[in-house]
Amino acid sequence: MMRRNRVTLADLARSLDLSTCTVSKILNRSFDGFTYSKETIRRVEECAEEMGYTANAQARSLRTRKTMLIGFLLPSAQISVFGALTDQLEYELRNRGYQVLIVHSRNDATAEPALIASLLARGIDGLVWIPAAEKLDPAAAGLKPEFPAVILDRPHCTSAFPFVATENRAAARNLAQQAYELGHRNIGILNAPAGDRSLRERFDGFRDVFGRNIRLLEIPNDTAAAKVAVMELLRKKTRPSLIAALSEPLAIGAIAGVRDLDLNFSKTLSFVAFDDFPLSGHWSPRITVIRQDVARLAQETTRLLLDRIESPQAQFENVRVDATLEWRESVASLVKD
C-alpha cells in the first residue's frame, strides 16, 4: 500500500497562491505585527483542513524555541470546580495550539517545587498554578520572575505573577445580605484553616453582613471533618438558623451530617454553599450556591498566560471574575407575614 506523502506548508502555499511565510504565520497565529483579512485567514484554515495538513511539532519547536506545552499544577481534579477548570483550560489552550501537562500536589505545598521542576524539565512554555500555600516564593520553586506563569484561584499569594480569581468577597456578601433580609441573624460557617485566600475572602463577605453573629468552625477541608462538625453543632440546644459551607468538600460533609441526624433544610435550618457541585441541584430541597464562572476564569487565565509568553517583561494585570448566585429552596424566610 502506497504511503501518502505529508502535506507541507509549501503545498498549501502553492494551492492558495500565497507565500509560505503568510501561510505559516496564519496557521501558527504568529503574526508579528502583520495583519491579514478574515477572508485570507478563513481560506488558509479551510485549505489546511481539506488537504489534511498537520503541523510538524518538532520542526516548529526548533524554529520558534517553543515546545507548545503548558504546565498546570493544581491540588486535585476530584473537586468538581477544579475538574471543570481543568477541562475548560485544556480546551482554551488546545484551541491556541498548546498541549497541557497536568500534575496534582494533593494539597501538599512541599511537593510543589519537585512537581514544577519536572514540568520545567519538559520545557514548558508557561505555567498555570493553583498553589496549596497561602504565600509563594517563586524562587524556592525554581521559577524566575520573568517566567510566564499565572496563579489561578489564589489571589495575592505572590506579586511575581498575575492572578485570576473569582470576586469571592462580593459574592459572599451578596448572599449574606439576602439571607439577612430573610430574617437570619445567627449563622454557622464551615471554613478551612488559614492557607486558602479564596476561602478567607468568602468568610470576610459573610462577616461584612453578620459581624460577630457567626459561629466559625475551622476544620480540615474534607467531608469527614465537616460531617462531624455539623453533627456536633446541630446537637446543641441553641443552633444557628443558617449554615454556610465555604467549599465543596465542606458542603458535602455538612449535607451528610444533616442527613445522618435525620434532619432536613426547613424553616428551622437553612443551608448555603460555594460552587455549584452536582449534588447541589439534585438534593431536596435544592441547595443555594454561589457558582463560579469557570469558562471565564479559563479564558482570562489563557489570555494572561499567552500575553506573558509573548512579553515576559511587560507589566501585567490581575483579573477578578464575577460569580453568580443560584438562589434555591434551601434558604427559608424567617420574616413573619
Side-chain angles (χ1 to χ4, degrees), residues 220-239:
N221 192 22
D222 64 65
T223 56
K227 178 180 176 180
V228 170
V230 163
M231 293 180 74
E232 290 178 353
L233 177 64
L234 295 180
R235 286 191 179 110
K236 297 181 182 297
K237 289 184 178 180
T238 59
R239 64 191 189 196

Side-chain angles (χ1 to χ4, degrees), residues 39 41 54 61 78 89 115 124 129 145 147 154 161 177 248 252-253 255 290 302 313 315 334:
E39 176 62 20
I41 294 173
T54 56
S61 176
Q78 294 181 339
L89 186 67
L115 293 172
I124 57 172
W129 187 3
F147 185 80
R154 296 291 190 268
F161 306 126
Q177 186 61 46
E248 178 185 334
I252 293 173
I255 291 171
I290 292 174
T302 299
Q313 304 290 349
Q315 259 192 325
L334 302 183

Side-chain angles (χ1 to χ4, degrees), residues 63-191:
R63 183 177 66 253
T64 64
R65 296 184 180 180
K66 292 181 181 179
T67 61
M68 304 304 290
L69 296 175
I70 299 297
F72 184 22
L73 172 56
L74 69 159
S76 169
Q78 294 181 339
I79 297 174
S80 61
V81 69
F82 286 165
L85 273 171
T86 300
D87 176 78
Q88 195 69 36
L89 186 67
E90 191 277 337
Y91 173 78
E92 293 291 336
L93 286 165
R94 174 159 43 92
N95 281 346
R96 289 158 178 79
Y98 288 88
Q99 291 183 305
V100 181
L101 302 179
I102 301 168
V103 291
H104 301 114
S105 68
R106 293 179 173 267
N107 277 310
D108 181 1
T110 63
E112 291 179 327
L115 293 172
I116 289 174
S118 71
L119 292 171
L120 292 174
R122 291 174 177 263
I124 57 172
D125 296 327
L127 175 69
V128 179
W129 187 3
I130 303 179
E134 182 176 2
K135 293 184 179 181
L136 298 182
D137 181 0
L143 293 174
K144 297 180 180 179
E146 65 272 15
F147 185 80
V150 175
I151 304 300
L152 178 57
D153 193 51
R154 296 291 190 268
H156 302 299
C157 59
T158 178
S159 60
F161 306 126
F163 71 76
V164 178
T166 295
E167 283 282 10
N168 291 292
R169 186 167 186 166
R173 187 189 304 118
N174 179 32
L175 193 163
Q177 186 61 46
Q178 294 197 40
Y180 189 88
E181 291 171 1
L182 290 176
H184 294 276
R185 294 295 181 268
N186 295 286
I187 69 170
I189 290 184
L190 299 179
N191 197 8

Side-chain angles (χ1 to χ4, degrees), residues 257-322:
V258 170
R259 178 202 60 196
D260 283 10
L261 289 174
D262 200 24
L263 299 173
N264 55 43
F265 302 128
S266 62
K267 283 283 185 181
T268 57
L269 179 63
S270 294
F271 184 69
V272 298
F274 264 79
D275 298 330
D276 197 12
F277 52 98
L279 179 63
S280 65
H282 299 285
W283 194 256
S284 182
R286 297 182 305 152
I287 307 299
T288 293
V289 295
I290 292 174
R291 187 179 71 239
Q292 299 193 67
D293 190 340
V294 171
R296 176 87 188 284
L297 288 168
Q299 290 163 5
E300 292 294 341
T301 299
T302 299
R303 179 179 66 83
L304 291 187
L305 183 63
L306 297 188
D307 285 348
R308 291 277 286 170
I309 291 173
E310 291 301 317
S311 305
Q313 304 290 349
Q315 259 192 325
F316 58 77
E317 60 177 314
N318 296 317
V319 176
R320 290 283 190 170
V321 175
D322 290 335

